[in-house]
């Protein structure tokens, strides 16, 4: 791993088992912790490269689909061993490219590894159902079939684990794939594909096209020969992908999008646990997780004590060099993210917030060359329509919102267009059951942060956070279709529901 001051990484597409430098324009990436350092350059793929990759995937589909599921699983076993072997190196690339602190970058590689191990483990699991018929001579089966070519479009903030949540189940089920990593983090995507190649996945089964969203991403999302688009990213882009899929007869999509997740601190909460859970939820990954808590709802009776402890802890954490062991989190991803976060900080003031902590843009010697913004914490009385407590900020920006009773806590929690993650802090089993049942979310937690997924669970949300096709273990439903298959063992035709078969 080079800490480059000049271009070090050379990106290439991977199409039909061939690494290709690509023609025409290239784009470059910079280190978000040192934006004067260019990390790599990558070919700017578009319609032609996506088309070639989709054709390669289509061509590889029949043979991969017919390959035994066990054999497909064994490729994942080989991949798991390679990821294991390269964990440290991969974590360094990831930390450098997206600014995650090393410990978190490593955890993401391990999460990707877990997905691959899970996929391998499911290769020998039953895949269908045998069901009884009302006609005794008939056998009924429910069998899953792969859908075909799957497009995989992924965000920068989980550039290793999220692609594996999608590529893993898609490929195990017999689909072939075209992967478009985020233009902010193409290197770790390319390293992952190189490991797929080394693990023995045949040419055309996985293809990689680099490029920017409006070009390579849009070309993949709208390509007529792509059967499923699996997308993780912002709501704005996900909405376009859903629209494109709706306009194409055979195409479906699985979209995981943004959120305004929350931790809810109840009247009976253990305050120290609540403060720590909220801190991890708001500021891990510098608030740049889809499940980051942009809101902490606190029962009014406990508000002052909670806020005091939360701010005290928030003052303690350090956003700094991703490779420094005492950094709690790193920089934001780019200048646009800095501008967005600072604008939302100002908007909170304009909407009447009481600011409790404002880290501002960090520009001392250590931070001057990175995209660093410190924690912003404010108290906001709930009113419907406040933008800062409804919209995703995707940075270290958190509202502490008092509520009077559980009914009000649930109402505030649900008053956003999103529904991804919810954590409730309480010692009362009746209370957590109420929040569990009344809040809109895809992932719920009790006495924990609202971050921290495991791959063998579904990962998805409701409302603007997802379209009902969760990722990770649950992606199998999006990349296969269930077929009903009926076999008659009688010598004559017998119809169900008592219908006559007389001719
Ligand atoms: P983004 O939407 O800007 O980009 C995501 C991907 O879409 C990138 O690969 C990009 O190149 C591509 N893209 C952009 N425009 C496109 C277009 N017109 N057509 C097709 N593809 C296009 O998101 P981001 O900034 O990379 O990631 C942050 C967002 O992702 C946040 O909103 C976060 O909440 C969300 N996210 C959600 C989950 C989840 O599981 N729900 C997980 C991680 C991140």
């Amino acid at each position: 791993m080079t800490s480059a001051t000049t271009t070090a990484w050379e990106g290439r597409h991977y199409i039909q088992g061939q690494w290709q430098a690509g023609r025409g324009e290239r784009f470059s990436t910079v280190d978000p912790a040192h934006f004067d350092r260019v990390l790599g350059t990558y070919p700017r793929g578009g319609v032609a490269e996506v088309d070639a990759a989709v054709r390669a995937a289509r061509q590889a589909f029949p043979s991969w689909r017919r390959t035994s599921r066990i054999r497909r699983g064994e490729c994942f076993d080989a991949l798991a061993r390679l990821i294991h072997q390269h964990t440290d190196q991969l974590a360094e690339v990831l930390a450098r490219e997206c600014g995650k602190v090393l410990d978190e970058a490593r955890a993401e590689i391990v999460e990707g590894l877990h997905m691959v191990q899970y996929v391998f483990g499911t290769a020998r699991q039953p895949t269908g159902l045998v069901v009884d018929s009302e006609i005794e001579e008939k056998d009924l089966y429910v069998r899953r079939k792969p859908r075909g070519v799957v497009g995989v479009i992924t965000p920068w903030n989980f550039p290793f684990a999220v692609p594996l949540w999608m590529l893993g189940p898609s490929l195990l089920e017999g689909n072939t794939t075209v992967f478009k990593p985020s233009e902010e983090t193409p290197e770790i995507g390319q390293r992952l594909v190189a490991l797929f190649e080394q693990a023995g996945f045949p040419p055309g089964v996985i293809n990689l096209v680099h490029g920017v969203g409006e070009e390579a991403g849009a070309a993949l999302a709208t390509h007529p020969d792509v059967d499923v688009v699996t997308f993780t990213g912002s709501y704005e882009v996900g909405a376009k992908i859903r629209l494109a899929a709706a306009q194409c007869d055979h195409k479906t999509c699985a979209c995981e999008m943004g959120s305004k997740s929350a931790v809810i601190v109840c009247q009976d909460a253990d305050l120290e646990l609540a403060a720590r859970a909220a801190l991890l939820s708001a500021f891990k990954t510098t608030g740049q997780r889809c499940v980051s808590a942009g809101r902490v709802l606190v029962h009014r009776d406990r508000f002052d004590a909670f806020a005091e402890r939360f701010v005290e802890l928030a003052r303690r954490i350090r956003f700094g060099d991703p490779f420094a062991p005492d950094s709690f989190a790193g920089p934001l991803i780019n200048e646009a993210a800095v501008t967005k976060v600072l604008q939302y900080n100002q908007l909170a003031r304009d909407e009447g917030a009481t600011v409790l902590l404002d880290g501002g843009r960090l520009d001392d010697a250590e931070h001057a060359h990175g995209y660093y913004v410190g924690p912003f914490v404010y108290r906001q009385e709930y009113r419907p329509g406040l933008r800062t407590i409804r919209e995703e900020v995707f940075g270290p920006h958190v509202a502490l919102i008092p509520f009077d009773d559980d009914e009000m806590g649930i109402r505030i929690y649900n008053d956003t267009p999103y529904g991804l993650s919810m954590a409730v802090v309480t010692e009362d089993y009746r209370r957590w059951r109420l929040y569990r049942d009344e809040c809109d979310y895809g992932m719920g937690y009790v006495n924990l942060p609202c971050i921290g997924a495991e791959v063998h669970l579904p990962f998805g949300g409701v409302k603007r956070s997802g379209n009902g096709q969760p990722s990770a273990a649950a992606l199998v439903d999006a990349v296969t279709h269930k077929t009903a298959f009926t076999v008659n063992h009688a010598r004559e035709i017998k119809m169900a529901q008592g219908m006559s078969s007389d001719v």
Side-chain angles (χ1 to χ4, degrees), residues 335-452:
E335 190 61 38
V338 171
T339 305
K340 181 179 175 189
V341 170
L342 295 178
Q343 280 172 349
Y344 270 98
N345 292 357
Q346 181 55 42
L347 182 61
R349 286 196 166 86
D350 297 345
E351 289 186 328
T354 305
V355 177
L356 305 176
L357 178 66
D358 182 359
R361 179 151 196 171
L362 307 175
D363 54 6
D364 56 295
E366 183 197 339
H367 298 98
H369 297 283
Y371 302 118
Y372 288 101
V373 174
F376 186 80
V377 183
Y378 58 102
R379 175 184 175 132
Q380 182 58 277
E381 284 296 328
Y382 170 72
R383 311 195 293 279
L386 286 175
R387 285 184 53 202
T388 44
I389 63 170
R390 291 170 51 82
E391 297 175 10
E392 182 178 54
V393 178
F394 219 54
H397 168 113
V398 61
L400 308 187
I401 308 169
F403 66 92
D404 298 322
D405 54 29
D406 293 326
E407 183 276 325
M408 184 179 177
I410 290 162
R411 185 156 39 89
I412 298 175
Y413 174 84
N414 285 336
D415 186 15
T416 81
Y418 297 102
L420 193 59
S421 185
M422 182 277 297
V424 57
V425 186
T426 175
E427 299 295 310
D428 181 338
Y429 71 91
R430 289 195 178 88
R431 186 165 265 145
W432 66 248
R433 188 170 191 267
L434 182 71
Y435 283 89
R436 181 194 71 186
D437 293 350
E438 300 303 321
C439 291
D440 303 328
Y441 59 85
M443 279 85 62
Y445 299 88
V446 179
N447 291 335
L448 282 168
C450 64
I451 64 170

Side-chain angles (χ1 to χ4, degrees), residues 9 12 14 19 42 90 93-94 97 108-109 154-156 158-161 163-164 167 179-182 184-196 206-210:
W9 294 333
R12 288 177 294 163
Y14 182 69
W19 290 98
Y42 299 84
L90 291 165
V93 172
L94 197 154
E97 199 174 40
E108 183 178 342
I109 304 298
T154 54
W156 68 266
F158 276 87
F160 190 81
L164 282 169
L167 291 165
F179 170 35
K180 207 296 280 172
S182 165
E184 303 285 355
T185 50
E187 185 63 27
I188 190 71
Q190 181 166 310
R191 303 271 176 130
L192 175 60
V193 172
L195 295 183
F196 269 96
I206 176 167
N207 302 275
L208 164 76
V209 179
H210 288 296

Side-chain angles (χ1 to χ4, degrees), residues 3 36 85 97 108 125 149 151 153 195 216 219 241 256 345 356 439 453 475 481 484:
S3 62
D36 43 355
Q85 201 181 323
E97 199 174 40
E108 183 178 342
Q125 293 293 317
V149 175
I153 302 176
L195 295 183
I241 284 171
E256 301 308 329
N345 292 357
L356 305 176
C439 291
L475 194 81
H481 57 96

Side-chain angles (χ1 to χ4, degrees), residues 152-158 162 165-166 180-185 211-222 229 231-238 240-241 255-259 288-292 333-334 340 392 394 418 420 443 459-461 464-466 471:
V152 175
I153 302 176
T154 54
W156 68 266
N157 71 328
F158 276 87
V162 164
W165 291 357
M166 297 171 169
K180 207 296 280 172
S182 165
E183 54 270 46
E184 303 285 355
T185 50
V212 303
E214 297 73 24
E215 297 167 7
L220 184 55
T222 56
V229 181
F231 167 80
T232 300
S234 61
Y235 167 73
E236 289 70 24
V237 175
K240 290 184 193 167
I241 284 171
C255 295
E256 301 308 329
M257 299 168 281
S259 92
Q288 299 172 105
R289 287 184 175 228
C290 53
V291 286
S292 289
I333 187 65
N334 54 30
K340 181 179 175 189
E392 182 178 54
F394 219 54
Y418 297 102
L420 193 59
M443 279 85 62
F459 193 99
R464 285 188 175 186
S465 295
S471 195

